[in-house]
Amino acid sequence: MRLISSIALICLPAATLAGPTFTNVAPALRIHHQYTGGWEHFVGGGVATFDCNADLLPDLFVAGGDSPAALLINTSTRGGDVSFTENTPDLLQMTGMVGAYPLDIDSDGILDLFVMRVSENHIFKGGPDCSFTAFSDLNFSVGNHWTTAFSATWEGANLLPTLAIGNYVDRNDPDGPFEACDTSFLVRPDGQSYGPALRLEPSFCPLSMLFSDWGRLGRQDLRVSNDRHYYVRGGGEQLWAMEDTPRLYDTTDGWRDFSIWGMGIASRDISGDGIPEVFLTSMADQKLQNLAAGAAGPSFDDATYDRGTTAHRPYTGGDGRPSTGWHVAFGDVNNDGLDDVFIAKGNVEQMPASAMDDPNNLLMQTTDGRFVEAGEMAGIATMDRSRGGALVDLNLDGLLDIVVVNRRADLEILENISDESGNWILLEISQNGTNPQAVGAWIELQNADKTWHREITVGGGHASGRAGFEHFGLGSVDTVQLRVIWPDGTTSDWLEVSSNQILRIKKNNTGLTANPL
């Protein structure tokens, strides 16, 4: 097991900061993209955030469902106003798109796209200036399915990433849709192309997947969040041990079986103990879990009520019925050194037992580790049917912004215009050779009072992937020590860096090279 820093893991001294404030800039930019379609697009509606033209600013590739997908190029002024213009290549103007995840599949230093569809999925090779082509030599094929979940990781010395592909209801099952969950797949590389797909069975209609090193054991296992609405009975949440032959963890390993209407996954160490907590969105109660103290296996305790993250009913709007959670992301929106939680909310369509006026959540973490709702105060409490989204610094001003994809309502681009915030740092972590994004690495920052631990992953959320800078809010801290535990297990020396800057961090033998951007 990797050693975790024994630095005192206590909260930063409390800093009094004004609540965050966001403004939707999409209407002024005349961006009216919507996620549309029938029952096959009740779920999905994701957005991929990544830099496709090497200007450091994150661009947006947004699913459209029955409408064409759209690529929005970031034209923001660095540190200035957020702005976008649509410029979608013909290849990307597809319908049937559910969501997308960016990753550098061929390790050429340019991000590619895995695109999930109600039909055949696509893997597009990224090129200069946001150009894309179809990969011709990956030998990737998993057939025609309704794909709603995706994650990726690198295993061992493989040249290509391992891909997990989650498929929803089998539309060809005449006895469906209930108890008609389709088969999901694991696709491992065979040299410079992919081998045959391995069936992940049983499969219970996943809506999110995430490879994550849940216990700091040196291996990313596959968490799968499943929708009990369609598997109905006999199913549950899953965690696959990524052994030579993958197997499901069960009660003999310490895994505790449970069932939810699983829709989104987020993973982040928010307690400072080096072990990531897990946030799972659902209908009614959302779930925040932490690894049980002293657990020898994947035994998780429910911390939802203790931490104040149930978010089970709308907090404004007057609709008292249960909420429906979709995309979820951790991020420090006011840079006080404490990670907050964004949840996209919205009725599936017209489910009468669930709230129709269901505003998105912004749960702000306090110094005692609990969370309080700030969505209405922050200006994000719209009543549209939200689905996918992102917490990302769109104009590189050190403040996290929010992107929200809505079903049959316009896309929201919510610029963070808060007057007050703490210090911050943006880090691009990279290594030479295979897996240049360093997927599976752990970033650690520390000062005298606190250590931040951050795993680099591909997957999770709800149909929405992000690649690019890792944002850390630092509160009043001016300098921190930084190190990286790389995917191969090697640990860099500590490097001192200053706050309020953007750095490219590269592996350099046992050290790190830090170049300001």
Side-chain angles (χ1 to χ4, degrees):
M1 179 180 292
R2 297 174 182 170
L3 293 177
I4 298 171
S5 173
S6 60
I7 297 292
L9 300 175
I10 60 176
C11 292
L12 293 172
T16 302
L17 296 175
T21 304
F22 294 84
T23 184
N24 184 13
V25 301
L29 298 174
R30 299 182 180 179
I31 294 173
H32 302 290
H33 183 81
Q34 299 186 0
Y35 183 70
T36 65
W39 82 288
E40 292 169 322
H41 296 294
F42 286 179
V43 299
V47 54
T49 60
F50 67 115
D51 176 16
C52 64
N53 56 8
D55 66 355
L56 304 183
L57 297 166
D59 308 295
L60 308 176
F61 181 46
V62 193
D66 279 358
S67 302
L71 181 63
L72 304 179
I73 304 301
N74 195 331
T75 55
S76 305
T77 302
R78 180 168 166 174
D81 294 336
V82 170
S83 65
F84 285 86
T85 183
E86 182 174 348
N87 187 8
T88 312
D90 291 344
L91 189 66
L92 299 187
Q93 292 184 29
M94 69 190 79
T95 57
M97 177 180 157
V98 171
Y101 289 81
L103 73 161
D104 190 352
I105 287 178
D106 57 356
S107 297
D108 67 350
I110 301 176
L111 289 167
D112 312 304
L113 283 171
F114 186 93
V115 181
M116 307 186 304
R117 300 180 66 236
V118 181
S119 184
E120 185 178 4
N121 298 318
H122 294 307
I123 305 179
F124 292 129
K125 177 178 173 59
D129 297 324
C130 300
S131 61
F132 294 89
T133 57
F135 275 103
S136 60
D137 53 358
L138 290 182
N139 191 36
F140 170 82
S141 178
V142 291
N144 185 328
H145 298 273
W146 179 2
T147 299
T148 49
F150 175 80
S151 190
T153 190
W154 264 263
E155 295 183 283
N158 287 340
L159 298 176
L160 296 172
T162 295
L163 309 178
I165 297 146
N167 298 316
Y168 202 47
V169 175
D170 183 355
R171 296 163 295 149
N172 298 316
D173 188 331
D175 297 325
F178 299 104
E179 299 186 73
C181 292
D182 204 350
T183 300
S184 297
F185 297 103
L186 186 76
V187 186
R188 280 173 157 159
D190 181 9
Q192 296 185 346
S193 62
Y194 282 106
L198 175 69
R199 298 166 73 92
L200 289 177
E201 295 177 316
S203 185
F204 299 126
C205 291
L207 284 174
S208 189
M209 289 175 156
L210 181 65
F211 282 111
S212 176
D213 186 355
W214 53 269
R216 299 297 295 269
L217 303 176
R219 182 184 71 193
Q220 290 191 318
D221 289 329
L222 180 64
R223 182 180 281 268
V224 184
S225 193
N226 299 306
D227 183 4
R228 68 183 295 176
H229 185 73
Y230 285 114
Y231 69 71
V232 183
R233 56 188 171 181
E237 298 294 281
Q238 296 171 308
L239 183 64
W240 290 86
M242 291 301 294
E243 299 168 354
D244 290 342
T245 300
R247 67 174 181 88
L248 280 169
Y249 285 105
D250 60 25
T251 55
T252 64
D253 300 296
W255 176 256
R256 302 172 186 175
D257 292 326
F258 66 101
S259 298
I260 59 174
W261 290 267
M263 297 178 179
I265 303 172
S267 176
R268 179 71 58 88
D269 173 26
I270 60 173
S271 61
D273 65 355
I275 304 295
E277 279 78 15
V278 178
F279 203 113
L280 305 170
T281 55
S282 178
M283 300 176 71
D285 294 347
Q286 322 305 307
K287 282 194 173 294
L288 177 64
Q289 298 183 333
N290 55 259
L291 192 64
S299 180
F300 291 85
D301 290 333
D302 194 335
T304 307
Y305 286 92
D306 290 343
R307 303 292 286 271
T309 60
T310 57
H312 57 292
R313 296 185 189 276
Y315 54 88
T316 189
D319 195 329
R321 291 171 290 182
S323 282
T324 305
W326 298 91
H327 184 77
V328 59
F330 287 106
D332 186 351
V333 298
N334 62 347
N335 292 335
D336 63 352
L338 302 170
D339 275 303
D340 312 304
V341 179
F342 168 75
I343 309 171
K345 292 282 192 70
N347 196 292
V348 173
E349 185 63 9
Q350 294 285 342
M351 296 188 74
S354 298
M356 288 300 300
D357 293 332
D358 199 1
N360 299 331
N361 296 103
L362 186 60
L363 301 175
M364 304 292 295
Q365 189 179 175
T366 61
T367 54
D368 65 359
R370 290 182 57 80
F371 291 80
V372 295
E373 181 61 62
E376 187 169 26
M377 174 190 69
I380 71 163
T382 55
M383 300 296 178
D384 297 320
R385 296 180 185 87
S386 297
R387 293 295 188 264
L391 262 181
V392 58
D393 186 351
L394 296 172
N395 55 350
L396 305 184
D397 64 351
L399 293 171
L400 287 175
D401 310 295
I402 300 174
V403 180
V404 187
V405 184
N406 293 311
R407 175 169 165 76
R408 293 192 287 110
D410 289 351
L411 174 77
E412 296 171 63
I413 301 175
L414 298 162
E415 182 179 355
N416 190 334
I417 57 170
S418 303
D419 291 330
E420 296 181 25
S421 69
N423 294 331
W424 54 272
I425 197 166
L426 286 168
L427 302 175
E428 178 190 275
I429 307 296
S430 63
Q431 61 181 1
N432 293 326
T434 302
N435 184 15
Q437 292 173 267
V439 175
W442 284 84
I443 309 165
E444 295 186 345
L445 303 181
Q446 70 174 31
N447 76 333
D449 297 318
K450 177 171 178 168
T451 300
W452 293 259
H453 307 263
R454 179 79 54 84
E455 183 183 18
I456 299 177
T457 61
V458 175
H462 180 71
S464 300
R466 182 191 62 82
F469 294 113
E470 294 290 340
H471 170 275
F472 292 82
L474 299 177
S476 59
V477 173
D478 294 319
T479 61
V480 290
Q481 299 290 319
L482 160 69
R483 75 175 181 182
V484 178
I485 302 173
W486 298 99
D488 64 4
T490 61
T491 302
S492 77
D493 298 329
W494 290 99
L495 175 70
E496 184 172 275
V497 295
S498 299
S499 62
N500 300 325
Q501 62 174 329
I502 304 172
L503 293 175
R504 175 171 289 151
I505 305 296
K506 294 202 70 170
K507 188 177 185 180
N508 182 14
N509 297 319
T510 61
L512 300 173
T513 300
N515 293 314
L517 295 174

